[in-house]
Structure formats: C-alpha cells, structure tokens
C-alpha cells in the first residue's frame, strides 16, 4: 500500500482512539502493523511505539529500538487532516460537541484546521449543568450553542441564562422536568432566536402563560418543538413563521393554554413538512363548547408528510380536529381518551392513511387493566399501529367503551380487514373487578363490527370467559352467522370441544355447523 495511504489510515485510528479516550492523549501506532488492521490499545503499549509531537506539532512514527523512515503526520496537508477529523468525529451532535475540543488541544496547527471549518465539522458549544458557560463563551470562537439541562441549582441557572444572552447563536434548547425562574426565562426569550431549530420545554409546577411575543413571534429555522405542561394559546401565530417544522409535540396542555380545534387545525394545516404530531391535554375540561361547535368543513387541509399522530383528550376535540385535516400517509396513530359516557370518532377513518396501507392491519388486540382498557389494530410491520386507550375501571365499563369505538369504526377499512382478534386480561385485575355484573349483549356488540375475523382468542379469566361463552351460547339459528360470520377458530381455554359432550358452547357450535360455517374450539 502507498505509504501515504497507510499513514492516513493509521492517523484515523489514532484520532479515533484520542476522541474516545477520557483524556486528550496520543497513542502508539507501529509502523510495521498490517495496513488493513488497527492495533488494540494494549498492543500499542506493549510494542512501545509512540507518536512523538514536537513543540512545532510535527509527528514521527517510530518503534522501540529503531527509527522508521521519516513519514510524519505533519506531512499530511490540511485538507487531508480535515477529512480525517470529519471522519473520526462522532455523528450525534452532542457527542461531537464533547469530543472536538480534544483535537484543538493537540497542537496549534490542528486548532487552526478545526476552527477554520466549523460548518463542515458541525462544531457547537454544549451548555449543561456542569459546563462553565461564561468562561467557555469567552474562550471559544462564536460557535452555535446547544443548551441541555435536567435539574436546577444556582450554578445551573446561571449557565442557562449565560447562554441565553446570545440568542443569535443558540441552536437548540432542551430543558426537561425542572422548575426554573420562569418569569426571568420568559423575559429573556422575548427576543428572536433566528438559528434555533429545536425547543424542548418540560416544566413542573405552576406555569405562567407564554406571551404572544415569545421568541419574538418568529422561529424561521425551527424544526422540532416540544412543550410539556406549558400554556401557549397564541402558538399558532409563532408557527406561521416555522414552515419547516417537522416535529410538533404539545403535551399536558393546561386548561389555561387551551386552543380550540379550529385554531389547532388552522395552525397545523400550513405545516406541510410535519411528520410527527402529538396533542395532549392535562384535563378533560379542555373540550369544545357544544354551543359554538361548527359543522365539518367541506374541504379538509392536507398534511402530506404526516406519518405519526398521538392524541390525549376527549373524543369531541379529536372529532372536530380530524374533520378538518387529511393525512394520506398517516400510519402510526395512538389515541388516549379520558373516561366519558359517549365517544365519537366517526371522522377518524376518513382522515388517516388510506388503503392499501391501512388494510394491512389484520390483527386486533384488546387489553384490560385495572384502570384502563387498550385496543390496538396492528400489522406484521413494526411501528404501524393504530391504538386506543380509555381511562376507566370495571370490565363492564371497559367492554362497553371499546364496543362503542368498534361500532363507530364498523364498515371502515380499519375493522373490515381484521382477521385475528385477541382479548387479553391483566394479571393485576382484582377479583371484585372480574366479577362485575355485565350485560352479555355488550360482548356481542363488541364482536359485531369484526365481520372478517377468522380467529378469536379469549385469553382471560374464567370469570370473564363465562360472560363471553354465555353471550355466544345464545346465538342459535341464523343469529349464529350475524356475529363473527367469518369465524373459523375459537380459542377459549377451559372450554374445549370433546366428541359429543354437551357443554356451554355446544348450541353455538351446532348452529355454525348447520349453516356450513363450522367453528373449531381449541
């Protein structure tokens, strides 16, 4: 191999080791090592070879007892060293921010090369709880600033505000799960942050409403916005300047920050690059006013890039929101409802991803827990689920709530493609919960929309099984084909068919056999 190419490859290995070490130090590379391998750190120390850096920054590769031909790292031109630096620096921006200072401490030449190409090397200054921000900002060139903080102390507070004094350089802010002097924070954030592409705020305690002038009403480079427990009712005005927004997550919205679904739809309709959207409210009190609710518009706003959507609130809000948007590529949807008597989701199937993508979902699962019930529609592809969660207690209430949702989805491509229906029970369910008095017709109402189901697996306790079996037992004659007409396999542990034995499932089995649609009980 060409000596220069060999040197370049070995230099890459050296710099990679330098950047991965806890301290800035040089390591040894034997000049006789195979060109296609890199010696381990122990091998380097055993051989005793070193890169010797002179005060002028020159380097010579040498072994114990002999001097190699004078082929030095300093013989590499600046552009080659820059290529090596770019290759060796880690990709995640925060890891890169922690490692690039090691390069500039090696020698003056390396410092010059690094600082001459800040964009290519994606250099930035990381401000954390342990960073002496004011000192660093005085030493380093005016590089972009990344702010990260997860707890509060007087020193942390000073670090955050020292970085915020440079709004033109702040590229991202991530402050999670802390209580900071919000009045001072909001006052500082009144200026535009023209370079900021990520803002993540998760605040605890009482939070003042963010004013209309937050971020100077402009965030042109913003691509990711996460607000948790932060009231910001005038957010739509800010997002008018954020046409490149990709991720928008508004979680635990206090009632003081409530935005009507019409305002929310108008806000997101202009975000044509949006791929992920999360909207969650802190309380069921955040709901549309039934008196002022409007009929659905004739034309929906199209979100052409949206693929993931999460919602937590009341069904009326979701219904009014989805009536105004269309997301043809949406394939991962997670809906969480507060407990309520009546649910409405008729607009949802018309707004989310259309066949053939959605029709690939052929498995439905229902999970019952102590305080909630979860229903998922999934395919064999990962991250392609439609799920509903309802916060409620009692099996009777849970089955009734899920039945409501399924019947509103009846006839849509969501339920009509389901071939496998599984019902699971949490091991933590209390005996009193399992013995709830249920109307067996609730189970039939739950099963009715699943006209294509071929396999039903009821993995629940004997107490709950008895309700299911009793409901199916009452289906005789033509009624046996009106519920789960495509059913071929029924798995109900404890109720196995054995010859001509007459048991609770027998009337249903006989009725299906007589209609030439037999069901096998396993």
């Amino acid at each position: 191999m060409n000596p220069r190419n060999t040197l370049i490859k070995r230099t890459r290995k050296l710099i990679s080791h330098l950047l991965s070490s806890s301290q800035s130090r040089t390591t040894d590379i034997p000049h006789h090592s195979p060109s296609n391998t890199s010696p381990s750190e122990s091998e380097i120390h055993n051989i005793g070879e070193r890169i010797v850096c002179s005060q002028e920054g020159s380097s010579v590769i040498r072994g114990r007892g002999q001097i190699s031909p004078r082929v030095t790292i300093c013989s590499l031109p600046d552009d080659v060293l820059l290529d090596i630096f770019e290759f060796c620096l880690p990709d995640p921006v925060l890891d890169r921010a922690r490692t690039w200072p090691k390069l500039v401490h090696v020698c003056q030449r390396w410092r010059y090369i690094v600082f001459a190409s800040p964009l290519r090397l994606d250099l930035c200054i990381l401000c954390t709880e342990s960073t002496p921000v004011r000192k660093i900002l005085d030493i380093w060139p005016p590089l972009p600033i990344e702010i990260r903080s997860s707890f509060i102390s007087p020193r942390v507070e000073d670090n955050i505000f020292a970085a915020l004094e440079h709004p033109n350089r702040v590229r991202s802010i991530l402050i999670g799960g802390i209580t900071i002097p919000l009045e001072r924070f909001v006052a500082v954030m009144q200026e535009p942050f023209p370079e900021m592409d990520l803002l993540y705020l998760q605040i605890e305690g009482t939070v003042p409403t963010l004013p209309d002038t937050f971020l100077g009403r402009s965030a042109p480079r913003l691509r990711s916005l996460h607000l948790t427990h932060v009231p910001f009712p005038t957010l739509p005005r800010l997002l008018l300047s954020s046409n490149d927004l990709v991720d928008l997550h508004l979680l635990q919205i206090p009632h003081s920050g409530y935005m009507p679904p019409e305002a929310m739809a108008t806000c997101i309709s202009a975000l044509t690059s949006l791929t992920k959207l999360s909207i969650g409210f802190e309380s069921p009190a955040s709901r549309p006013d039934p008196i002022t609710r409007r009929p659905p518009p004739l034309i929906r706003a199209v979100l052409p890039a949206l693929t993931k959507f999460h919602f937590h609130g009341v069904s009326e809000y979701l219904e009014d929101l989805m009536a105004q948007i269309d997301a043809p590529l949406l394939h991962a949807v997670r809906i969480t409802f507060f407990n309520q008597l009546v649910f409405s989701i008729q607009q949802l199937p018309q707004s989310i991803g259309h066949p053939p993508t959605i029709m690939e979902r052929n498995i439905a699962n229902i999970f019952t827990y102590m305080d909630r019930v979860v229903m998922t529609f999934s395919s064999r592809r990962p991250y392609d689920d439609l799920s509903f969660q309802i916060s409620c207690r009692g099996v009777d209430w849970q089955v009734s709530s899920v039945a409501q949702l399924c019947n509103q989805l009846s006839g849509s491509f969501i339920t009509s493609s389901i071939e496998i229906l599984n019902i699971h029970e949490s091991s933590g369910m209390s005996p009193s919960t399992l013995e709830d008095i249920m109307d067996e017709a609730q189970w039939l109402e739950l099963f009715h929309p699943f006209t294509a189901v071929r396999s039903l697996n009821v993995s629940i306790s004997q107490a709950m099984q008895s309700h299911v079996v009793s409901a199916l037992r009452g289906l005789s004659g033509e009624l046996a084909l009106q519920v789960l007409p495509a059913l071929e396999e029924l798995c109900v542990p404890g109720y196995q068919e054995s010859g001509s034995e007459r048991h609770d499932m027998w009337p249903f089995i006989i009725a299906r056999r007589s209609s030439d649609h037999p069901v096998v009980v396993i």
Side-chain angles (χ1 to χ4, degrees), residues 127-147:
C127 299
T128 67
E129 296 90 351
S130 59
T131 305
V133 175
R134 296 190 184 278
K135 179 180 179 180
I136 287 179
L137 294 179
D138 290 338
I139 296 175
W140 296 129
L143 299 171
I145 299 173
E146 308 272 352
I147 300 175

Side-chain angles (χ1 to χ4, degrees), residues 125-138 142-149 152-173 175 180-181 184-185 188-189 191 193:
I125 296 175
L126 180 61
C127 299
T128 67
E129 296 90 351
S130 59
T131 305
V133 175
R134 296 190 184 278
K135 179 180 179 180
I136 287 179
L137 294 179
D138 290 338
L143 299 171
I145 299 173
E146 308 272 352
I147 300 175
R148 299 291 186 273
S149 183
I152 192 65
S153 69
R155 185 179 65 178
V156 172
E157 178 183 332
D158 182 68
N159 285 342
I160 292 175
F161 289 107
L164 292 177
E165 292 173 0
H166 304 268
N168 292 332
R169 294 170 54 187
V170 174
R171 190 165 65 183
S172 70
I173 299 176
I175 300 177
I180 62 175
R184 182 184 174 191
F185 176 80
V188 172
M189 298 289 287
E191 296 186 45
F193 284 69

Side-chain angles (χ1 to χ4, degrees), residues 205-430:
T206 303
V207 183
T209 300
L210 296 185
D212 177 47
T213 54
F214 187 70
L215 296 182
R217 300 190 182 96
S218 177
R221 297 179 62 89
L222 194 63
R223 293 180 57 82
S224 184
L225 176 62
H226 299 243
L227 300 179
T228 300
H229 196 237
V230 179
F232 193 6
T234 58
L235 173 66
R237 299 180 186 176
L238 173 65
L239 296 186
L240 289 175
S241 66
S242 305
N243 297 326
D244 295 329
L245 195 68
V246 174
D247 297 340
L248 176 59
H249 304 274
L250 309 174
L251 306 177
Q252 298 180 31
I253 302 174
H255 191 56
S256 59
Y258 175 76
M259 283 180 282
E262 296 81 12
M264 184 70 74
T266 302
C267 168
I268 63 178
S269 62
L271 305 176
T272 56
S273 299
L274 193 66
T275 62
K276 299 176 184 178
L277 173 64
S278 299
I279 301 172
F281 294 96
E282 189 177 42
S283 162
S286 298
R287 62 176 63 233
D289 186 346
I291 299 178
T292 60
R293 289 183 71 183
R294 303 174 183 176
L298 298 178
I299 301 177
R300 298 170 182 259
V302 178
L303 298 177
L306 188 66
T307 59
K308 296 183 179 180
F309 173 57
H310 295 174
F311 175 81
H312 186 183
V314 297
S315 66
E316 296 92 331
Y317 192 101
L318 178 67
E319 184 78 348
D320 289 358
L321 178 64
M322 301 307 285
Q324 302 177 66
I325 62 175
D326 184 18
L329 298 183
L330 185 59
H331 60 81
V333 182
R334 185 182 304 166
I335 307 297
T336 301
F337 288 131
F338 292 109
N339 191 12
Q340 54 188 104
L341 188 61
V342 178
F343 296 91
S344 178
I345 57 169
Q346 296 175 353
Q347 296 290 338
L348 182 63
Q350 304 177 48
S351 305
I352 65 177
H354 304 298
T357 303
I358 297 299
M359 291 189 69
E360 295 180 4
R361 295 195 180 105
N362 61 349
I363 304 172
N365 291 279
I366 299 174
F367 303 88
T368 61
Y369 299 91
M370 283 291 296
D371 57 350
R372 66 194 185 280
V373 59
V374 178
M375 178 174 59
T376 66
F377 299 90
S378 59
S379 68
R380 292 178 177 85
R381 299 186 307 175
Y383 313 112
D384 190 24
D385 288 351
L386 166 63
S387 71
F388 296 90
Q389 176 174 305
I390 304 172
S391 302
C392 61
R393 294 178 175 270
V395 176
D396 57 339
W397 193 275
Q398 293 176 351
V399 173
S400 175
S401 299
V402 171
Q404 274 195 64
L405 298 183
C406 290
N407 276 277
Q408 294 195 38
L409 298 174
S410 178
S412 70
F413 49 81
I414 297 175
T415 56
S416 62
S417 62
I418 298 300
E419 297 180 350
I420 301 173
L421 176 60
N422 303 313
I423 304 177
H424 310 271
E425 171 197 322
S426 168
S427 59
M429 299 286 281
S430 66

Side-chain angles (χ1 to χ4, degrees), residues 9-22:
K9 187 168 184 177
R10 293 175 181 173
T11 303
R12 281 184 175 181
K13 300 298 182 182
L14 278 168
I15 295 178
S16 295
H17 182 75
L18 167 68
L19 296 179
S20 63
S21 64
S22 59

